[in-house]
Every structure is written in C-alpha cells, then in structure tokens.
Amino acid sequence: MRLDSKYFDRIRTRRKREPEPEQAPPTCQWDGCDKKGSHRAPVGRNAEGQFFLFCFEHVKDYNKGYNYFSGLSDGEIARYQKEAITGHRPTWTVGVNKAAKDSPLHSEVRSGAYTRVRDPFGFVKEGGKGSGPRFPQARKLKSLETKAFDTMGLDANATSAEIKSRYKELVKKHHPDANGGDRGSEERFRAVIQAYQLLKQNGFC
C-alpha cells in the first residue's frame, strides 16, 4: 500500500486521555481534626442519604451519641414506630369499603365459581353466602349400610338424630318384654340392634 494513499487520511485514532489529577482525600469534619475523613456517618432525621465524613476515632465517638429520634416526644416516637410497620404508607380500617364486603373473592372469579346470575331463591348458593347446595346430595352407601337403613325403615339421607329416634322407637316396639316373648318380634329386635350398631360404627350416628 502506498503511503500517499487516500485511505490513510480516513484512519482515525483515539486520543490518549490525560490522567485526571488525583483528588486529595476529604478531611475529617470533626472540629479541630486534620485526619482523613474516610468513614461515613448519617446526618440525622429528615436528612436521609446525607453523611458526615469522619476519621475512624471520631466516627466511633459520633455513633456512640447518635440518636435518630432526638428531639421527638414519646408519642411521636410511638407513632413513627407504628407507621414504620406499613412503610409509612397510608392504610384504611377493614370494612371501610362496603362494596368489597359482598364482592367475590379473587380466587372465585378466576376459577369460575362465581357468576353474576340472578338467584333470588338461592338455588345456586343458599342465602347468597356460599353455604353449599340447597338440596343435599344422596349418600353413596355400601350394600350392608343400605340394608341397615332398610331394616330401620329410614331414607339414606336420614340425619343422626333421626336414626337415634327411630332406633328407640323400634326397640320399644319389638322388645320381647313388650310382645310376650313372640319369636318373630325377637328376631326383628336383633336385626334392628345390628343395623343400628353398623350405622354407628360407620359414623352415621
């Protein structure tokens, strides 16, 4: 390549930066001290982010006597500590927003469990409070449990109180002493007791 080529004129080189003059370390801000101030100490309340610069000895003395709450009364200190729990952000008492009381939970909306359907008779949610279906679902019974309900003459959805009441009624009716020792009534009496014991063991009463 020739030295008088036009390409040499287009080549640019970076200029060397001149070294910046070294700044002298700050002096300790303690009155009468000429040592290096290489340690920071907070200025105080309402001056967050601002610092004094002290030497090692004087920063220790400053920190020993430092009090962030200096000049505040006990009530003001208690208020500051209470507001610090919420990061000094405004808060509201629970229940102020009355519209939120009857509004659905966020999880219900996302899962599709909540729908804006008019339900004046409570068929979807009884009383509008999500207390479950209006009509109870039929129990899934095993064969022996079904037989026990039939023996006692009860529906599969009978409550614990209904089962106990029916049991007392049948015992009085078929007890041998009440029927003069009738063998047929005695067998019925045993069947009722066995049916009741099975339902009791399985948690129906």
Side-chain angles (χ1 to χ4, degrees):
M1 183 180 289
R2 294 183 305 171
L3 295 178
D4 59 348
S5 173
K6 62 180 179 180
Y7 296 108
F8 279 105
D9 297 335
R10 296 180 180 177
I11 296 175
R12 296 181 181 180
T13 58
R14 291 183 179 179
R15 293 182 181 179
K16 292 184 179 180
R17 292 183 179 179
E18 296 180 1
E20 297 180 358
E22 294 184 2
Q23 295 181 353
T27 306
C28 177
Q29 291 182 271
W30 197 273
D31 290 340
C33 182
D34 296 330
K35 294 181 181 179
K36 295 179 180 178
S38 54
H39 299 279
R40 299 193 307 176
V43 172
R45 188 166 37 86
N46 298 327
E48 283 76 7
Q50 300 179 28
F51 301 93
F52 293 120
L53 293 174
F54 296 119
C55 63
F56 181 70
E57 296 297 329
H58 288 140
V59 79
K60 289 195 300 182
D61 295 338
Y62 179 84
N63 288 337
K64 285 180 183 178
Y66 179 75
N67 182 8
Y68 183 82
F69 299 106
S70 178
L72 294 180
S73 64
D74 292 342
E76 290 173 329
I77 293 174
R79 179 182 176 185
Y80 181 92
Q81 292 173 336
K82 183 179 179 181
E83 292 176 351
I85 297 174
T86 58
H88 301 282
R89 295 181 176 89
T91 58
W92 294 268
T93 306
V94 176
V96 170
N97 187 359
K98 295 182 180 179
K101 183 178 180 181
D102 298 324
S103 62
L105 297 174
H106 181 64
S107 58
E108 290 182 350
V109 176
R110 291 192 62 185
S111 64
Y114 175 82
T115 57
R116 296 183 177 275
V117 178
R118 292 184 70 252
D119 186 26
F121 299 104
F123 290 111
V124 178
K125 288 187 177 181
E126 187 172 1
K129 300 297 181 182
S131 56
R134 186 177 178 87
F135 302 105
Q137 296 179 352
R139 291 172 176 165
K140 293 182 179 179
L141 302 176
K142 298 177 182 178
S143 58
L144 290 177
E145 294 169 350
T146 303
K147 185 178 179 181
F149 276 106
D150 291 340
T151 300
M152 299 187 69
L154 290 172
D155 185 72
N157 290 324
T159 63
S160 175
E162 292 173 345
I163 294 173
K164 291 178 181 179
S165 176
R166 181 64 172 167
Y167 171 69
K168 291 178 182 179
E169 179 186 343
L170 292 175
V171 165
K172 289 180 180 179
K173 181 178 179 181
H174 297 289
H175 195 279
D177 293 341
N179 293 278
D182 183 8
R183 301 294 297 177
S185 183
E186 186 177 345
E187 292 177 3
R188 174 71 173 153
F189 177 74
R190 290 198 190 100
V192 168
I193 293 176
Q194 291 176 357
Y196 179 75
Q197 292 296 331
L198 185 142
L199 294 178
K200 188 175 181 180
Q201 291 174 1
N202 293 343
F204 290 97
C205 57

